[in-house]
Amino acid sequence: MIIRAKRRDVLRYGAASMLAALSAPAIADTWPSKPIRIICTYPAGGLTDVFARAYGDYIAQKTGQPVLVENRTGAAGAIGAEMVKQAAPDGYTLMFTNSTTMVQNKALFKKLPYDPDKDFALVAWFNTGHLPTIVNKDVPATNIKEFAAWAQGRKVSLATYGIGSFAHVVTETLNRHYGLKMEAVHYRGESLMWQDVASGAVQGATGSYASASSVLQTGSGRPIAVPTMERMKRLPDVPTFYEQGLTEKAFQIRGWVGCAAPAGTPEQIVQKLSDLMVEAGKTERVQKVNDTFAIDEGARDRTYFKKVLDEEGPVSIEIIKSLNIDPQ
């Protein structure tokens, strides 16, 4: 069978392959000799953007070349990811995105304009910290068991920051574990979500510590559980889901941001970028960012990034599929 490709696709992918195969040593030897562009697939102000700018500034400082951050948002990161996929694999275009773009989208969309497994060279992985579950102050519960007992037979809503998000997974997994019928109310981001938790418009939510800080500081919300196997340093008295008897894998997966380059980027450049990201994670500026967002570790290298995708990616996909969300 002969497959006829469009001429522009042949030219694009052919040029990329030739660039990677024939010019990699020369490109690596002179890199970087011009500004580096970071495509951030989420809006300015969010953690993905904050990381892109903080780590990008360190790259600029160490290489002597400007690093420009562009926010190309939409379609759960797919718009920015497609741009990076189509960029020349020469080390001058990077992507900062999150687990939704690289993992969950495979289950949320029937067709993607990029292949998360083949179109990118992994550079570095960044932990985004615990995402505590917090209930409104008027909910008479200090832990998951008390909350489930109170929610039984009541009309209860838990807010999420998007369909298929970790917050959505928490709501549906709690429903299954305790036989509840809580409604997952989806928001576009966390700001309004936490306002509604504070007012009691919804009974609780799961999300980032930084975004929920005002709710916690004013006492309008109360944390009742944190995911993963270790407690948060900022909330040392709040037990994990696992400690409270919820051993489902859904409560053990981590949220993260990742940096990647177009597939075919020379190995030497990818390794250099990976090393620089790890160095940046130890700087005072990045440590201050991590402290603000209650994140307990800096950047991890590309090998660790691949390990996360290989080990935790299939678990996330399995969980998303179990929610019976119709792919778009």
Side-chain angles (χ1 to χ4, degrees), residues 214-233:
S214 62
V215 173
L216 296 172
Q217 290 169 6
T218 60
S220 56
R222 180 188 312 111
I224 60 172
V226 295
T228 77
M229 301 297 285
E230 297 179 357
R231 294 192 182 191
M232 284 182 67
K233 291 181 180 179

Side-chain angles (χ1 to χ4, degrees), residues 77-109:
I79 291 175
E82 184 179 17
M83 289 183 62
V84 175
K85 163 194 169 180
Q86 295 175 343
D90 54 9
Y92 293 99
T93 301
L94 301 174
M95 173 174 69
F96 268 69
T97 191
N98 63 22
S99 58
T100 300
T101 307
M102 297 294 285
V103 179
Q104 286 96 318
N105 275 359
K106 290 189 281 187
L108 293 173
F109 291 88

Side-chain angles (χ1 to χ4, degrees), residues 75-278:
I79 291 175
E82 184 179 17
M83 289 183 62
V84 175
K85 163 194 169 180
Q86 295 175 343
D90 54 9
Y92 293 99
T93 301
L94 301 174
M95 173 174 69
F96 268 69
T97 191
N98 63 22
S99 58
T100 300
T101 307
M102 297 294 285
V103 179
Q104 286 96 318
N105 275 359
K106 290 189 281 187
L108 293 173
F109 291 88
K110 294 177 181 177
K111 186 177 181 180
L112 289 170
Y114 65 97
D115 186 331
D117 300 320
K118 297 180 180 179
D119 289 335
F120 307 108
L122 306 181
V123 173
W125 178 92
F126 315 90
N127 195 337
T128 55
H130 292 76
L131 300 176
T133 295
I134 299 169
V135 296
N136 176 270
K137 62 180 178 58
D138 294 328
V139 174
T142 59
N143 56 52
I144 289 294
K145 186 176 180 179
E146 292 176 355
F147 175 67
W150 173 82
Q152 196 76 45
R154 281 187 168 86
K155 184 177 181 180
V156 176
S157 298
L158 288 184
T160 90
Y161 47 89
I163 296 175
S165 65
F166 176 71
H168 187 188
V169 169
V170 167
T171 303
E172 298 302 336
T173 307
L174 286 175
N175 280 339
R176 293 181 184 187
H177 186 97
Y178 290 106
L180 303 174
K181 296 182 179 180
M182 296 186 295
E183 179 186 6
V185 180
H186 306 297
Y187 291 73
R188 293 184 178 181
E190 292 193 54
S191 180
L192 183 58
M193 179 181 89
W194 290 117
Q195 290 178 36
D196 282 358
V197 171
S199 70
V202 292
Q203 285 66 58
T206 297
S208 67
Y209 176 87
S211 296
S213 59
S214 62
V215 173
L216 296 172
Q217 290 169 6
T218 60
S220 56
R222 180 188 312 111
I224 60 172
V226 295
T228 77
M229 301 297 285
E230 297 179 357
R231 294 192 182 191
M232 284 182 67
K233 291 181 180 179
R234 284 289 187 89
L235 299 173
D237 297 327
V238 181
T240 65
F241 285 98
Y242 191 88
E243 287 178 277
Q244 298 185 62
L246 287 89
T247 58
E248 291 91 339
K249 291 180 180 179
F251 298 117
Q252 299 171 33
I253 60 176
R254 297 176 290 178
W256 48 264
V257 165
C259 176
T265 299
E267 176 84 6
Q268 302 97 309
I269 294 177
V270 175
Q271 185 61 54
K272 178 64 174 176
L273 283 165
S274 183
D275 293 342
L276 287 171
M277 295 291 180
V278 174

Side-chain angles (χ1 to χ4, degrees), residues 3-19:
I3 300 175
R4 299 185 183 279
K6 293 182 179 179
R7 183 173 181 272
R8 64 174 180 270
D9 291 333
V10 173
L11 291 175
R12 185 176 72 214
Y13 295 116
S17 299
M18 290 178 63
L19 181 63

